[in-house]
């Protein structure tokens, strides 16, 4: 996205992105009532039939290199795995309530929280504390919401939300839709509501897709963004129009 944002094809056309994180469950059978289940090391060694199988998978998929490309310098292999329904609900709640720029900021935070620091995504008290601290210190949050005087949610607010069932129905509907589309693994990207790109694609592939959309929007004087999952997840069109990166 950075290349397209910083170097638009047309000087008189502003480029922006609205990133919607569609929930996906790697381990849907994990017990939601348990803060964590096992380490990721144990899960992967069991999944690939032992240590030798896991070493082969690491080499084949270049997991370390892909993590570095995504800004994750070191994967904590012993991170605590858990059911992720609560954290998915939290990301959606923040996006719908405060804007996609806020949910993206917290999504980045949780990547480091989980993949690097190794904390469980279902440790709800810790999750509420870390997210509340980030939102309180985030200039993005306060500036973007300044006009409407919306305060950042407190740790207590976030914990109350995490312990509720708010947003579950929308996520379950999104999961059924993914299954209908035949999407059973991640990462996958649906761009402009119709172009599917596999997560293993190189950056040049994404830039090519973005440039094509830029040209189409410019030639057709288009101002609206197409999306499949915004309505399913209950995201207001105005929130989508505001975008997450500009």
């Amino acid at each position: 996205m950075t290349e397209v944002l910083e170097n638009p094809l047309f000087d008189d056309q502003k480029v922006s992105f609205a990133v919607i994180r569609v929930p996906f469950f790697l381990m849907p059978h994990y017990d939601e009532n348990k803060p964590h289940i096992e380490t990721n090391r144990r899960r992967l060694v069991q999944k690939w039939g032992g240590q030798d199988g896991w070493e082969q998978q690491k080499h084949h998929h270049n997991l370390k290199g892909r993590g570095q490309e995504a800004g994750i310098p070191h994967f904590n292999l012993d991170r605590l795995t858990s059911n992720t329904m609560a954290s998915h609900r939290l990301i959606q709640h923040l996006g719908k309530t405060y804007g996609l720029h806020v949910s993206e900021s917290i999504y980045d935070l949780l990547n480091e929280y989980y993949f690097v620091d190794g904390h469980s995504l279902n440790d709800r008290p810790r999750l509420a504390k870390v997210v509340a601290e980030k939102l309180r210190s985030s200039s993005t949050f306060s500036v973007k919401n300044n006009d409407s005087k919306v305060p950042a949610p407190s740790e207590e607010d976030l914990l109350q939300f995490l312990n509720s069932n708010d947003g579950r129905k929308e996520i379950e509907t999104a999961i059924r839709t993914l299954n209908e589309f035949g999407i059973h693994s991640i990462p996958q990207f649906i761009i402009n509501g119709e172009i599917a790109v596999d997560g293993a694609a190189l950056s040049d592939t994404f830039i090519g897709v973005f440039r094509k959309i830029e040209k189409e929007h410019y030639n057709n004087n288009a101002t609206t963004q197409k999306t499949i999952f915004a309505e399913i997840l209950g995201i207001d069109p105005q929130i989508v129009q505001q975008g997450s990166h500009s």
Side-chain angles (χ1 to χ4, degrees):
M1 289 188 294
T2 301
E3 168 65 23
V4 177
L5 288 170
E6 294 181 351
N7 301 288
L9 290 178
F10 308 100
D11 292 336
D12 58 341
Q13 176 172 279
K14 181 181 178 181
V15 176
S16 65
F17 290 85
V19 177
I20 297 172
R21 301 287 177 176
V22 181
F24 185 89
F25 294 87
L26 285 175
M27 305 297 285
H29 64 280
Y30 275 172
D31 189 341
E32 284 189 54
N33 295 314
K34 294 183 177 180
H36 68 269
I37 304 298
E38 59 188 341
T39 68
N40 195 57
R41 183 190 303 270
R42 179 184 177 190
R43 180 183 76 84
L44 291 173
V45 168
Q46 289 180 336
K47 177 179 179 180
W48 298 111
Q51 189 65 36
D52 289 344
W54 164 232
E55 292 296 334
Q56 292 175 11
Q57 288 298 319
K58 281 197 294 184
H59 177 74
H60 177 70
H61 292 288
N62 186 27
L63 297 181
K64 183 176 181 180
R66 290 172 63 183
Q68 291 173 340
E69 288 180 2
I72 303 173
H74 167 69
F75 280 108
N76 187 335
L77 190 55
D78 292 306
R79 59 189 180 268
L80 298 176
T81 62
S82 66
N83 187 286
T84 53
M85 173 60 85
S87 59
H88 283 313
R89 289 193 299 103
L90 179 60
I91 290 294
Q92 296 303 321
H93 169 67
L94 294 174
K96 288 187 285 188
T97 307
Y98 305 107
L100 298 177
H101 62 287
V102 173
S103 57
E104 277 296 281
S105 174
I106 299 305
Y107 186 87
D108 290 343
L109 171 73
L110 295 188
N111 273 336
E112 182 172 351
Y113 167 96
Y114 176 61
F115 288 110
V116 179
D117 297 334
H119 300 307
S120 165
L121 288 167
N122 202 34
D123 182 344
R124 299 178 187 184
R126 183 192 293 271
L127 197 60
K129 183 176 186 295
V130 169
V131 171
E133 288 175 351
K134 173 67 174 179
L135 292 178
R136 282 198 303 270
S137 64
S138 173
S139 59
T140 299
F141 183 91
S142 59
V143 170
K144 289 287 187 178
N145 290 279
N146 184 56
D147 291 341
S148 57
K149 308 294 184 183
V150 178
S154 67
E155 181 179 337
E156 292 74 18
D157 293 334
L158 295 176
L159 184 57
Q160 182 178 6
F161 175 83
L162 287 166
N163 286 331
S164 74
N165 272 316
D166 293 351
R168 176 185 293 271
K169 181 179 178 182
E170 292 89 336
I171 287 177
E172 290 174 344
T173 302
I175 294 299
R176 287 196 296 272
T177 304
L178 288 176
N179 289 332
E180 291 169 3
F181 286 170
I183 296 176
H184 304 296
S185 63
I186 56 172
Q188 297 280 339
F189 299 86
I190 301 176
I191 303 172
N192 209 34
E194 56 189 12
I195 304 169
V197 179
D198 187 270
L202 298 176
S203 58
D204 287 350
T205 300
F206 288 92
I207 292 174
V209 172
F210 296 150
R211 292 305 192 195
K212 179 181 178 182
I213 295 171
E214 263 190 287
K215 292 176 183 177
E216 290 176 351
H217 275 231
Y218 187 81
N219 292 334
N220 298 326
N221 196 29
T223 58
T224 58
Q225 298 157 316
K226 301 175 185 176
T227 175
I228 295 173
F229 284 94
E231 183 175 353
I232 291 172
L233 291 167
I235 304 172
D236 189 274
Q238 185 175 354
I239 292 289
V240 177
Q241 196 66 29
Q242 290 171 356
S244 57
H245 301 80
S246 60

